[in-house]
Amino acid sequence: MSRLDYVIVLAAGEGTRMKSTMPKVLHSIAGRSLLGHVLAAVDDLSPIEVRVVIGAGRESVQEHLAEISPQAIPIFQEHRGGTGHAVQLALAGVEGAGTVLVVYGDTPLLSSESLSQLIAAHNEGGFAATVLTAEHPEPTGYGRIIREDNDDLLRIIEERDASIIEREIVEINSGVYVFDLAKLRGAIGRLSEGNAQGELYITDVVEILRTDGDRVVPILTPDFIEILGVNDRVQLAECAALMRDQINDSLMRAGVTMIDPTTTWIDITAQIASDVIIYPGTAISGATKIATGALIGPRTTLIDCEVGSRARVLESYCIGATIGEGASVGPFTYLRAGSVLRTNSRVGSFVEMKNSTLGEGSKVPHLSYVGNAAIGVGTNIGAGTIFANYDGVNKHDTEVGDHVRIGSDTVLVAPVSIGDGAYTAAGSVITEDVPPGAIGVGRAKQRNVLEWVLRKRPGTKSADAARASTKEGKPTS
């Protein structure tokens, strides 16, 4: 009985209270735009067709819609004449019988489960219209529900048109409606602009249907949180926090440990297996996948990353990286797009890595930059190593073999290859290939200029210390 034929999403509003150059429905929480959350909820209902009424920011909204829901049909509302006018436009060319769901594009907490139950109740009752309502502890700004003695819906009155007594009502209109298509189509053309805003209200369809003798029923949702809309940045943050709590609650009940859920932000698009431990201050975004047994955080950001089982990512920022099973990252590591860490490898403190692969069991422990490199198995990259991959115009690759030892403070000037089992001497600048088993030395012979400090820095503490350490105030040879 939850059959659904059409969905109309109202997403044409200016969103002036957001004070943003971006259309309101494109603002994001938990990895999806507000519109994206609504479309994800209705998509689970398997409607025959989805029509989205757009207006403000037409080009950007239409482009976003094509990306996230290419099957949805955009309907442009050039003149914002109210919700009733928007539905009129959306119904153009729609014929026959069926069930129509109308929702707003700025209600990201709506669940497909609640919508499915609403549609089922509507279809089973054979009503002309069904309205989702909620009892809100602070109903200011919402339309109020006026019920008949038999609990059917008498009318919906917008707050700006409500009397003082009517504004005391706590049952509010969610803006979610289910209509019999034929009844809606017959009533929508009879709307008038006789209200404070001079607009056509979809809520007035209720009164028209009742006047026609049709039955309209309000269905009260037990959780008013689902129907919360977003009109400004404060409400955006409130909805984000509520969704964070929902996501975290679901994950913890599925076996994920969160030390502090209030400081853990996880996108709805992320996938996290059981027995993952997440420490405070962590953000997990995009299409990130984390396998069982991994430890994440504290103070870690993962964006579009894949983390293998038993991996550890501590106080690091990673985007577009693949972190293998048992690998260790951090603290203070920056993994950029294309970074691949194989099983049991390690990238340590103050290391930046981009478009590079680190082989199984290999290490870049600290203070290094690794770019456009392929590093083999069991290799150690000494502290302060720089993979100089950019010549000012093009990027070049570096290949480092298996069981290589790169000495501290080495600069590998790409393109260059270091063979299996090779070494580089600390402080070297390597510009030529190093054969397997060889040691590459790229530094000048050291020379000591005696008495330089005494001559060039007289009177300094360094000169005093040097003089005091020699016999009779003269340096030894």
Side-chain angles (χ1 to χ4, degrees), residues 265-267 270 272 276 278 281-290 294-297 299-307 312-314 316-321 323 329 333 335:
W265 293 80
I266 301 173
D267 281 356
I272 304 177
V276 170
I278 302 174
T282 292
I284 300 172
S285 305
T288 296
K289 297 180 181 180
I290 304 176
L295 278 70
I296 310 298
R299 294 171 294 278
T300 290
T301 298
L302 299 175
I303 304 172
D304 295 326
C305 292
E306 185 170 343
V307 181
R312 178 75 166 95
V313 187
L314 165 66
S316 296
Y317 189 96
C318 310
I319 178 168
I323 300 166
V329 178
T333 300
L335 296 183

Side-chain angles (χ1 to χ4, degrees), residues 225-301:
I225 286 175
E226 280 203 31
I227 59 88
L228 294 178
V230 174
N231 292 303
D232 57 33
R233 308 281 183 147
V234 173
Q235 292 176 342
L236 183 71
E238 290 172 348
C239 284
L242 289 167
M243 187 166 289
R244 174 204 63 201
D245 293 344
Q246 290 178 353
I247 292 169
N248 290 355
D249 181 80
S250 177
L251 287 170
M252 287 188 290
R253 294 184 187 282
V256 176
T257 295
M258 295 184 193
I259 307 303
D260 183 8
T262 62
T263 63
T264 300
W265 293 80
I266 301 173
D267 281 356
I268 198 168
T269 50
Q271 299 178 36
I272 304 177
S274 62
D275 287 326
V276 170
I277 300 177
I278 302 174
Y279 289 89
T282 292
I284 300 172
S285 305
T288 296
K289 297 180 181 180
I290 304 176
T292 187
L295 278 70
I296 310 298
R299 294 171 294 278
T300 290
T301 298

Side-chain angles (χ1 to χ4, degrees), residues 118-170:
L118 179 69
I119 295 164
H122 171 86
N123 290 337
E124 289 170 4
F127 307 126
T130 306
V131 182
L132 185 67
T133 70
E135 291 184 348
H136 198 301
E138 297 180 4
T140 302
Y142 290 92
R144 304 306 201 277
I145 297 297
I146 312 296
R147 288 179 179 252
E148 293 191 274
D149 292 339
N150 67 351
D151 272 345
D152 279 8
L153 186 60
L154 179 63
R155 64 192 177 109
I156 302 169
I157 187 163
E158 298 296 329
E159 181 168 281
R160 64 177 69 90
D161 299 318
S163 67
I164 294 175
I165 294 176
E166 288 169 333
R167 291 181 184 183
E168 295 297 318
I169 297 172
V170 296

Side-chain angles (χ1 to χ4, degrees), residues 422-435:
Y423 278 57
T424 67
S428 292
V429 177
I430 303 298
T431 59
E432 298 179 3
D433 293 351
V434 179

